[in-house]
Amino acid sequence: LHLHWNGHCSQQISFHQSIAMKISYAITSVTLPSATVSAFSSRNLMSPSFLRSHGQLSGTQRHSNTLISLASSVSNLQEESTASNENIEPFDDHVDLTFTQQTSAGPKTVDVDKPLRNKISEAQSEIEKFVSDFRELYNDLENAGGSIRRQMSMPGNRNSHSVSFTYVAPPSEYRRAKGDNPQLDGSWRLQSPDVYGDDANWKEMHRDITEKRMGNLPSAPPLLVYLPGLDGFGISATGQFDDLSSTFELWRMAVNKNNIDISFADLVKSVVSFITDATAAVDETPREVILVGESFGGLLSCAVAMALKKSTVLEKQMKLKGITLVNPATSFDETNWDQVVPLLTSLRYLESREEIVDSSGNFIFNNLDLPTPYSVLGGMALAATVPDSNQFSRIFDFMLRNVRSGSNDEILTASSDGFRLLAEYLPAVTLEQRVTKWLPVGTFVVNNEDRLSKLDVPTLVIAGKDDNVLPTKEEADRLTKLLPDCVKMDISGSGHFVLDNRVNLTEALLDSHIDPLDLQKKSPPYDPVTDWNLPPKEVIDEVIQKRVNPLRENTSPVFFSTDPVTGKRRRGLSLFPSVEGKPLLIVANHQLFGLDLGMIIAQLLEERGIVTRGLSHPVVSDGFSGMGSGSQRVQRRRYEINEDNPFGNDLFPMFGAVKVSPRNFYRLLQTNQTALLFPGGVKEALHGKDGAYKLFWPEKTDFVRVAAKFNATIVPLSAIGSADSAEILLDPSEMVELPFGIGDNLKNASASTTSARFDADNSDELFVPPLAVPKPIPARHYFLFGKAFDATSVDPKDKKTCQRVYENIRQEVQDGIDALLEARKLDPYALNGLRRNAYRRIFGKDPPTFPLESVKPSNNRIQ
């Protein structure tokens, strides 16, 4: 057994008890076949006599005796310590139980200690645990994290293994290999790789992996090669590995942090050589390959793609299916990092080289009591640029929480250990070599417009819009224009560390135009009417929390429904009609700018479980692409919430809104769905100073005729509040008359906007908003669902009856608006936002409203 202590021993938990517990676990839980067992210890742990008495041991028959003997010795040490009342000094490392298993592939290290680490870490502070987890993650990336690893020899030096490629088995495969042990969830971190050099039979091994992944499938999954950033490990993408390995044959690249002789050209040759061998092993040709590069790996991916496309040898055995560039460092030449980094790394010369720096210029950490200036200032530079606002906020809250609860010694010790991570896993001399040698050469090779314009490979650029390390937002635009087949995916609110839990890389690949599994080719085109599904509950809850609840808090909305027989009103939606197997049509007035749509959809869903499909203007459905947003191709994430624009239209399609058109409206009712229609359209949503709460409905009765054809129930909806929440300064008609070309530009943009009415020209609809100034606190909003009408008895071919029903429904909506405006006069909180907010702060709920009887009942007979 290998005993190694890592981390400080808490006074609350005996170190000896910890070791005894681990050894007892090993005795009861682990069988050690053909293992070479040895006992080692770092300083201050055990006496030299103990180490001598428990040195090298081998043979399966003595394993249990050895473990019992180890436990006995530890117990004796504990008794001696207790008897002499000795103070045990803090220890440097963590107890790991590992054994070396002899396999056909050579020695293999197996770790049996992981199930106990959580128990030991309970004695650590949160900061210590965070640093320990981070170091362990790096250790897994460097030494574990896969089932097979290939150490690539460098050109001209077969003994130099600076680059490796590790195959990550899918979680299901790993569970089967481990006998479905519930403690092993199949994570990539639980895999211990067999390591081979270039002299192994890689063609046979690649063939075995591919055949195993194929199973009963007609073809092998694409070979996906992940290329990391400057750290050489890809720590930011670790949360993606399990999903990627389940869908693709995933190989992740790693670069030795201690080798400073490898060049950018060597990296390109290594990747090309690996892909050449991997694709040559499969009889089915060409083998599909996908490159995924993050940060520096994105720059490297472009260079590798250019080399692969140029190779005539690889044309028959592989097909470059696509490239995914995540915050690519192709924009490095637009930054000042080539000047800043050498200044940071030169701080290593401030230290005493005899004590802390070896002959290669790397730090000797055993001699350090405090972090080096390079690790401190470098860590501060990374902390200031890498996290986005959300990540920084979480880090700040985490640190603040620990500052309040932890002791100064604990915080200082853990923080010092955390700063050492940079120098430990990205030494100064290594960082300097990679920034000054790799990146300038890479950008010179890749950033040639002629080369980029000929790289005709489907490319997806994933860009963190708040990246402070690189100008990624602008670079994504540049690459989208230069590359022949490039689509960008902007991640709002994300920085350089973009592949966190907000982004599913596998999902993004499957949804992209790369179409790695040809799912889009094999499936019929997406039908927004019949193929749409409501988002998962957690997404709905998040949207309501982030988008709807802020509006609710500011507007204190009140909903009413109407008895279809008596016409009396009731607070809430209990009188909203329930229909099964029939379509439902809600017909409403459009409030100013249409910002109340989310509250309507959410209220129907939460209170009655009714999924409502909105019919939206083509401009809204197309993301304003018809108003001059350019020709860039953009891909959105599934269930993406745009953090940059809380009033954006990104959620409309997610929650079932479809482009308003006769066909879509017809098919919604034909398939018995609930549709929400605003007949007044743009004229109501963008009304002027004199248009508040007036209906601008067309004279055509089309929606009544379609509703009658499918026996739909029509529910009028009246809403007020938005027009009182803003001060309109200029009407739309006045906006187009503005001087200095402003009015002409608005007029031209409106004329080029697709009209919502199929029988009208674009120029017939003035799509220009009024100039309005929002009030500090919006007015209270009121929603009244009027008397429902069952259109079953209406003959859709009877134009007179359809016209009469149409007019009655319009009158019901207008009467509802008038009834709400009149009743609102009795609500002291209607237009007094300060008073309303004060009530909410004091009582934690919305204030009361006007008496229910003050809302005039419906006297309309819709027939």
Side-chain angles (χ1 to χ4, degrees):
L1 287 179
H2 180 86
L3 300 178
H4 189 58
W5 184 257
N6 195 350
H8 293 281
C9 178
S10 169
Q11 296 177 356
Q12 299 175 351
I13 296 181
S14 166
F15 162 67
H16 303 299
Q17 290 175 343
S18 301
I19 294 229
M21 176 180 67
K22 290 173 174 291
I23 294 176
S24 299
Y25 175 82
I27 294 174
T28 57
S29 305
V30 182
T31 303
L32 307 177
S34 304
T36 300
V37 185
S38 56
F40 293 96
S41 173
S42 61
R43 66 181 186 276
N44 298 332
L45 286 188
M46 301 178 184
S47 65
S49 60
F50 176 83
L51 295 177
R52 286 195 297 271
S53 63
H54 298 286
Q56 292 286 345
L57 296 172
S58 62
T60 57
Q61 296 180 352
R62 293 193 292 167
H63 291 160
S64 296
N65 291 334
T66 301
L67 290 169
I68 295 173
S69 178
L70 283 172
S72 176
S73 298
V74 170
S75 179
N76 292 335
L77 282 177
Q78 183 179 12
E79 293 175 0
E80 294 171 4
S81 175
T82 304
S84 60
N85 196 24
E86 295 176 349
N87 291 325
I88 300 176
E89 297 181 5
F91 303 102
D92 288 336
D93 297 332
H94 176 88
V95 177
D96 288 335
L97 294 180
T98 61
F99 66 89
T100 303
Q101 181 180 15
Q102 300 297 335
T103 67
S104 58
K108 179 177 180 180
T109 300
V110 180
D111 184 3
V112 299
D113 183 53
K114 285 189 177 181
L116 292 173
R117 289 183 182 169
N118 290 335
K119 293 182 179 295
I120 299 302
S121 64
E122 288 174 359
Q124 299 174 320
S125 71
E126 282 192 69
I127 298 181
E128 288 176 316
K129 188 176 186 304
F130 174 79
V131 175
S132 176
D133 290 345
F134 221 82
R135 177 172 280 109
E136 186 176 333
L137 181 58
Y138 260 121
N139 181 68
D140 287 340
L141 282 167
E142 188 174 18
N143 301 312
S147 60
I148 296 176
R149 176 169 296 161
R150 178 177 181 176
Q151 299 280 17
M152 301 286 290
S153 299
M154 290 298 96
N157 187 359
R158 294 187 59 83
N159 296 321
S160 175
H161 299 124
S162 295
V163 177
S164 66
F165 292 88
T166 304
Y167 168 64
V168 182
S172 59
E173 179 180 323
Y174 191 65
R175 277 198 296 268
R176 289 196 299 270
K178 294 297 180 181
D180 290 326
N181 187 336
Q183 291 181 334
L184 303 178
D185 61 2
S187 169
W188 64 274
R189 298 185 66 181
L190 299 177
Q191 303 176 30
S192 300
D194 295 326
V195 183
Y196 303 89
D198 285 336
D199 53 350
N201 188 348
W202 280 105
K203 184 173 182 179
E204 189 65 28
M205 276 194 277
H206 279 298
R207 181 180 289 111
D208 290 343
I209 292 172
T210 303
E211 290 178 352
K212 187 174 183 180
R213 291 301 304 270
M214 282 182 62
N216 298 323
L217 299 175
S219 60
L223 176 74
L224 188 145
V225 182
Y226 170 78
L227 307 182
L230 273 187
D231 67 338
F233 297 110
I235 194 168
S236 58
T238 53
Q240 309 288 336
F241 288 161
D242 282 343
D243 275 354
L244 288 173
S245 64
S246 298
T247 307
F248 307 99
E249 182 184 318
L250 172 63
W251 290 80
R252 61 177 187 86
M253 177 187 180
V255 184
N256 190 321
K257 63 180 182 292
N258 295 318
N259 191 317
I260 60 173
D261 297 325
I262 186 171
S263 67
F264 183 82
D266 292 335
L267 294 176
V268 175
K269 291 176 183 177
S270 297
V271 180
V272 172
S273 176
F274 171 79
I275 293 175
T276 302
D277 292 344
T279 55
V282 183
D283 295 332
E284 176 191 352
T285 56
R287 180 75 190 279
E288 294 183 339
V289 177
I290 297 174
L291 295 175
V292 175
E294 184 176 12
S295 191
F296 166 74
L299 177 66
L300 181 60
S301 295
C302 292
V304 170
M306 291 174 179
L308 292 174
K309 294 290 289 183
K310 189 177 180 180
S311 173
T312 56
V313 178
L314 294 176
E315 286 183 355
K316 297 181 180 180
Q317 71 182 52
M318 68 145 293
K319 175 186 177 183
L320 190 54
K321 183 77 170 179
I323 312 171
T324 299
L325 309 177
V326 183
N327 285 346
T330 49
S331 61
F332 170 77
D333 52 2
E334 299 295 327
T335 71
N336 295 321
W337 286 113
D338 58 336
Q339 302 173 27
V340 174
V341 168
L343 291 176
L344 284 175
T345 56
S346 66
L347 295 173
R348 68 185 186 275
Y349 297 113
L350 298 178
E351 305 298 329
S352 173
R353 298 185 62 84
E354 293 79 7
E355 296 181 0
I356 67 169
V357 180
D358 61 19
S359 59
S360 300
N362 297 322
F363 291 117
I364 305 173
F365 297 96
N366 292 337
N367 296 335
L368 291 178
D369 293 323
L370 291 174
T372 64
Y374 158 70
S375 61
V376 172
L377 293 180
M380 293 173 65
L382 291 177
T385 55
V386 172
D388 56 50
S389 58
N390 291 325
Q391 295 163 346
F392 188 84
S393 176
R394 293 199 297 269
I395 294 172
F396 181 79
D397 292 343
F398 173 79
M399 296 300 295
L400 184 62
R401 184 172 64 252
N402 281 273
V403 166
R404 291 173 176 172
S405 61
S407 67
N408 292 335
D409 290 341
E410 287 178 341
I411 295 170
L412 179 60
T413 301
S415 299
S416 298
D417 194 28
F419 278 122
R420 291 192 188 99
L421 285 172
L422 175 63
E424 186 174 347
Y425 287 100
L426 192 58
V429 65
T430 303
L431 176 61
E432 182 175 327
Q433 185 261 349
R434 294 180 179 182
V435 170
T436 59
K437 303 297 183 183
W438 289 2
L439 286 165
V441 174
T443 51
F444 177 79
V445 171
V446 170
N447 283 339
N448 180 293
E449 291 193 6
D450 183 59
R451 292 195 191 103
L452 284 175
S453 62
K454 294 178 181 178
L455 191 58
D456 55 342
V457 179
T459 304
L460 173 65
V461 179
I462 299 178
K465 295 180 70 174
D466 293 344
D467 190 352
N468 294 317
V469 177
L470 298 167
T472 299
K473 182 180 178 181
E474 294 76 14
E475 182 65 6
D477 294 338
R478 184 181 78 92
L479 293 175
T480 306
K481 295 176 181 177
L482 280 177
L483 294 171
D485 189 11
C486 184
V487 175
K488 71 171 183 174
M489 174 186 284
D490 290 327
I491 310 298
S492 300
S494 289
H496 198 66
F497 193 170
V498 71
L499 294 180
D500 57 10
N501 56 5
R502 290 173 290 182
V503 176
N504 188 315
L505 183 55
T506 304
E507 203 173 73
L509 275 168
L510 294 177
D511 291 346
S512 73
H513 68 303
I514 297 174
D515 195 15
L517 303 183
D518 294 330
L519 298 178
Q520 299 172 27
K521 292 181 180 178
K522 299 174 183 177
S523 304
Y526 174 76
D527 185 341
V529 173
T530 58
D531 293 341
W532 174 83
N533 291 303
L534 191 68
K537 184 180 184 303
E538 58 270 19
V539 176
I540 296 174
D541 294 341
E542 182 182 6
V543 170
I544 290 176
Q545 178 184 359
K546 291 184 176 181
R547 291 290 184 86
V548 179
N549 285 346
L551 287 173
R552 287 171 169 171
E553 291 174 3
N554 285 321
T555 62
S556 300
V558 185
F559 286 81
F560 300 93
S561 54
T562 304
D563 189 308
V565 177
T566 64
K568 291 184 178 180
R569 318 295 190 178
R570 183 180 297 178
R571 181 81 177 264
L573 303 184
S574 60
L575 295 178
F576 191 89
S578 298
V579 293
E580 293 185 6
K582 290 178 59 177
L584 191 64
L585 174 61
I586 302 171
V587 183
N589 65 302
H590 221 331
Q591 292 212 75
L592 183 64
F593 301 127
L595 298 180
D596 60 340
L597 179 60
M599 289 190 287
I600 298 172
I601 299 293
Q603 194 72 23
L604 287 165
L605 185 60
E606 288 181 314
E607 189 171 342
R608 294 298 305 273
I610 297 174
V611 179
T612 306
R613 311 287 304 273
L615 288 148
S616 59
H617 194 282
V619 168
V620 177
S621 300
D622 297 339
F624 294 91
S625 61
M627 299 192 71
S629 63
S631 58
Q632 290 185 352
R633 299 162 64 191
V634 178
Q635 176 182 330
R636 296 189 180 276
R637 289 174 290 162
R638 297 181 192 175
Y639 313 127
E640 177 181 4
I641 302 175
N642 190 342
E643 304 285 354
D644 296 337
N645 184 10
F647 302 107
N649 65 311
D650 54 304
L651 298 180
F652 291 170
M654 185 192 305
F655 280 81
V658 296
K659 184 186 299 185
V660 60
S661 69
R663 173 179 170 80
N664 286 341
F665 177 64
Y666 184 96
R667 295 184 66 235
L668 282 174
L669 299 189
Q670 184 185 39
T671 52
N672 295 328
Q673 300 190 58
T674 299
L676 173 59
L677 178 67
F678 299 98
V682 170
K683 288 185 178 180
E684 285 182 4
L686 304 180
H687 64 73
K689 294 185 285 288
D690 298 329
Y693 310 128
K694 293 181 180 179
L695 299 182
F696 297 94
W697 290 18
E699 296 301 322
K700 293 189 175 182
T701 63
D702 294 335
F703 76 77
V704 174
R705 295 171 58 198
V706 177
K709 179 177 180 61
F710 296 109
N711 300 325
T713 298
I714 304 174
V715 183
L717 170 60
S718 307
I720 65 171
S722 290
D724 301 293
S725 302
E727 190 72 34
I728 297 178
L729 304 180
L730 293 176
D731 290 348
S733 59
E734 296 172 321
M735 292 289 292
V736 297
E737 299 299 330
L738 289 173
F740 309 113
I742 299 175
D744 291 337
N745 290 336
L746 291 173
K747 192 180 301 183
N748 292 335
S750 175
S752 62
T753 300
T754 304
S755 175
R757 305 192 186 281
F758 72 99
D759 55 352
D761 294 330
N762 295 346
S763 58
D764 294 340
E765 186 177 76
L766 184 60
F767 198 95
V768 175
L771 179 61
V773 178
K775 295 181 180 179
I777 302 177
R780 193 169 199 170
H781 282 44
Y782 304 86
F783 301 90
L784 173 59
F785 288 95
K787 185 181 293 186
F789 172 71
D790 188 349
T792 303
S793 60
V794 177
D795 182 0
K797 297 180 181 180
D798 188 340
K799 293 183 179 181
K800 290 184 178 181
T801 302
C802 291
Q803 182 67 37
R804 184 173 65 251
V805 171
Y806 176 84
E807 292 174 354
N808 288 338
I809 292 173
R810 180 169 56 183
Q811 189 61 48
E812 178 73 5
V813 173
Q814 187 63 64
D815 288 347
I817 292 174
D818 296 339
L820 289 174
L821 290 173
E822 185 65 26
R824 187 177 67 173
K825 297 176 182 178
L826 301 177
D827 186 348
Y829 303 97
L831 302 176
N832 192 331
L834 290 176
R835 185 176 181 183
R836 193 170 65 245
N837 283 356
Y839 187 97
R840 284 183 58 88
R841 289 182 178 275
I842 295 173
F843 297 101
K845 61 181 181 180
D846 286 334
T849 185
F850 46 73
L852 184 61
E853 57 271 15
S854 64
V855 185
K856 182 180 178 181
S858 173
N859 296 321
N860 291 316
R861 297 184 61 189
I862 303 177
Q863 59 180 7

